[in-house]
Amino acid sequence: MKHEQIMELIETAADQLQYSYVPYSGFRVGAALLAQDGSLYTGCNIENAAYTPTNCAERTAFFKAVSEGVRSFRAICVVGGPDGRLESYTPPCGVCRQVMMEFCDPEEFEIILATGKEDYKIYKLRELMPLGFGSENLA
């Protein structure tokens, strides 16, 4: 992935922090999802008093894209922190990783974790979900 694309994803994910609805945890998360066709889909976390209906930023971005017919993805950037302060990396939860397994090639899909444009790491989905359950398990 080109450096310019990485920078755009980090900036876009960070911009999403302002939309987070986090009255309970105060932990804001933003995501920017890059589709194979170059389209960007964004997401923020949305909490709920009942907790279970809470939705992560990553899944928000994926569900927006899938609801528009997009099924092929290249990368996602995830940023987050208390009150939106990017103090450390914010890796996807297990449920989000499972959603990624549904729509992404674990050997190719990249997950960018960042605290800013100068501090980021890139992982393949397979690194974060080494024994992930996917459609091939049901074949």
Side-chain angles (χ1 to χ4, degrees):
M1 180 178 309
K2 294 181 181 176
H3 181 73
E4 297 79 27
Q5 284 182 309
I6 295 168
M7 295 300 108
E8 180 184 11
L9 287 171
I10 293 170
E11 185 175 321
T12 302
D15 286 345
Q16 293 306 300
L17 294 169
Q18 67 183 311
Y19 302 116
S20 292
Y21 176 74
V22 292
Y24 308 105
S25 73
F27 196 94
R28 296 178 178 276
V29 181
L33 176 63
L34 178 63
Q36 287 290 356
D37 68 4
S39 300
L40 273 181
Y41 294 88
T42 59
C44 64
N45 56 328
I46 304 165
E47 294 181 345
N48 188 285
Y51 296 118
T52 303
T54 293
N55 202 52
C56 298
E58 301 91 309
R59 282 181 284 141
T60 299
F62 268 95
F63 296 164
K64 285 168 69 174
V66 171
S67 73
E68 294 181 20
V70 178
R71 303 283 193 281
S72 299
F73 304 99
R74 293 178 54 196
I76 191 167
C77 178
V78 184
V79 300
D83 297 320
R85 293 185 315 276
L86 306 182
E87 299 170 344
S88 62
Y89 298 131
T90 304
C93 74
V95 174
C96 288
R97 294 176 198 200
Q98 185 61 49
V99 168
M100 291 174 195
M101 286 293 296
E102 185 68 24
F103 295 104
C104 306
D105 179 344
E107 306 299 334
E108 299 295 325
F109 185 72
E110 294 181 318
I111 300 167
I112 303 162
L113 304 179
T115 61
K117 289 184 176 181
E118 301 301 320
D119 181 23
Y120 64 90
K121 291 186 179 181
I122 301 175
Y123 299 90
K124 298 289 187 188
L125 176 56
R126 178 66 71 206
E127 293 176 89
L128 298 185
M129 193 77 159
L131 295 174
F133 186 86
S135 59
E136 68 278 357
N137 295 101
L138 299 175

